[in-house]
Amino acid sequence: TTKLLTAVSAVADLGPDHRMTTSATWEPAGRVLTLVAGGDMLLADGAGHGGEGADANGWAGLGDLADAVVEALPELLQGGAVAVAVDDGAFAGPAVNPDWPEYALTSGYVAPASGLAVDVARMTDAHYAPRHDDPSLAAGEDFAQALAGRGVRIGGDVERVADPATSETVASVSGAPLSEVVHLLLRDSDNTIAEIVARVHALETGRPTTPAGAADATIAGLAGIGVDVDGLVLHDGAGFSDRNRVSPAHLTGAITSALAAEPTRDLLDWLPLGGLEGTVASRYADTSAAGMVRAKTGSLTGVTALAGTVQTADGRLLAFALLADGMPYGPRPPRDAFDEMVTALADCGCED
């Protein structure tokens, strides 16, 4: 449920229409094309499919960027080989948050938050697929292949560089609006996208792109829309850190403040609908709460959480947050208790 705080705060500060841009620069003397990270880790390796109603994953594509580069630089198809490099220096890191447990990486739950990736650095089509150890370099290799497929002769291996001052931006592609990105991270509980959204938030608000800088940005953004952040402690954007300190009041405060603030007033559209979508798709089936609950789940070893809104039988919208800690492995009993309570809220006439 930490992701709920990450999402609300980022949109509150940056706006729902903010987009992450991936660009290509050209250094003619050395014939070097550099792929420059802008935070988008949802790139397609070919053409993007962006547009109204499209999923945020694959909104922009490296194939489109390669097309734009070749159009801008017809000289690429002539002369010597072209070197391809990546520059993700805007993201200071560490890309692997030191507060993440090792199993999160080995089980495919998260990828290094480098600021540049195709399909969140997945190596297969599985949701929890193994991830590339270096998402930026892997994206650079995809970009080099896209260029080669368009007739550009590529020389040497893709390397990480600091983009030289003599280069100029020749093309760029922009990912999905931030509102669509946070819809994806809340719907799918995407740990990597939550972490990178927090770091982009830090970057765009002039803070270090480190876990600490991202936490500062999240807490400040929440305070900016009136959330009482007293006692709130964050060490990551996804919620893996066992040093995070988040109370139910922080979560309900974020929900109610978000619904009252202009940039985040569409929060309910970003939260998955109980019985139908995302991580709550299999919950509330055949109950009166189906379609009445929008919520973010939280399930880790020994921890179960649920935070969101429920519409009561008399039409009143309630914000709720339920947290349980210190349990043996297996969240089923507390999850069932949470769902029973939320269903009771949906059934009630709470103004009586």
Side-chain angles (χ1 to χ4, degrees):
T1 50
T2 302
K3 295 181 183 70
L4 180 60
L5 305 180
T6 301
V8 165
S9 180
V11 178
D13 272 351
L14 306 183
D17 296 326
H18 178 82
R19 297 171 71 180
M20 303 174 202
T21 298
T22 306
S23 58
T25 66
W26 173 239
E27 198 278 300
R31 292 183 64 83
V32 179
L33 271 173
T34 301
L35 185 63
V36 183
D40 193 352
M41 298 189 68
L42 293 164
L43 290 161
D45 62 355
H49 59 230
E52 186 175 353
D55 193 83
N57 194 8
W59 185 286
L62 291 178
D64 295 329
L65 184 58
D67 285 338
V69 166
V70 171
E71 181 178 357
L73 298 170
E75 62 266 34
L76 291 180
L77 303 179
Q78 305 165 3
V82 172
V84 175
V86 297
D87 176 11
D88 56 9
F91 297 91
V96 176
N97 191 313
D99 270 51
W100 289 342
E102 180 64 24
Y103 74 80
L105 293 160
T106 58
S107 299
Y109 295 155
V110 68
S114 68
L116 176 64
V118 169
D119 190 24
V120 208
R122 293 183 178 92
M123 299 174 71
T124 72
D125 291 335
H127 185 68
Y128 291 124
R131 311 296 177 114
H132 290 288
D133 292 335
D134 194 325
S136 296
L137 283 182
E141 290 165 0
D142 287 338
F143 185 50
Q145 291 176 12
L147 290 165
R150 287 153 177 82
V152 178
R153 186 157 65 91
I154 304 299
D157 296 330
V158 177
E159 297 181 354
R160 177 179 281 101
V161 297
D163 198 25
T166 55
S167 66
E168 62 172 330
T169 299
V170 293
S172 62
V173 291
S174 293
L178 186 57
S179 58
E180 297 296 334
V181 174
V182 300
H183 172 59
L184 178 147
L185 81 85
L186 293 173
R187 179 195 69 202
D188 298 346
S189 198
D190 195 297
N191 300 298
T192 313
I193 300 306
E195 182 74 7
I196 200 62
V197 162
R199 297 195 193 192
V200 168
H201 187 184
L203 176 68
E204 297 294 338
T205 54
R207 295 176 171 88
T209 51
T210 60
D216 288 345
T218 298
I219 293 170
L222 292 170
I225 58 170
V227 181
D228 183 354
V229 296
D230 186 43
L232 177 61
V233 178
L234 297 175
H235 292 275
D236 75 338
F240 270 121
S241 174
D242 60 11
R243 295 194 294 150
N244 291 342
R245 295 294 179 265
V246 182
S247 74
H250 293 136
L251 294 164
T252 55
I255 293 166
T256 55
S257 295
L259 293 175
E262 180 66 23
T264 50
R265 64 180 182 179
D266 292 331
L267 172 64
L268 298 189
D269 292 337
W270 311 333
L271 284 166
L273 191 60
L276 292 172
E277 298 176 316
T279 56
V280 288
S282 62
R283 296 168 70 165
Y284 308 106
D286 301 321
T287 75
S288 54
M292 296 293 128
V293 178
R294 290 189 176 272
K296 177 70 193 75
T297 56
S299 299
L300 293 168
T301 301
V303 179
T304 297
L306 188 70
T309 64
V310 57
Q311 184 171 312
T312 68
D314 59 7
R316 187 179 182 189
L317 190 67
L318 304 178
F320 67 89
L322 304 167
L323 310 179
D325 196 4
M327 303 171 299
Y329 183 80
R332 176 60 63 183
R335 182 184 296 176
D336 289 347
F338 287 178
D339 289 350
E340 183 178 346
M341 177 180 172
V342 172
T343 300
L345 289 174
D347 287 338
C348 82
C350 294
E351 293 185 356
D352 297 339

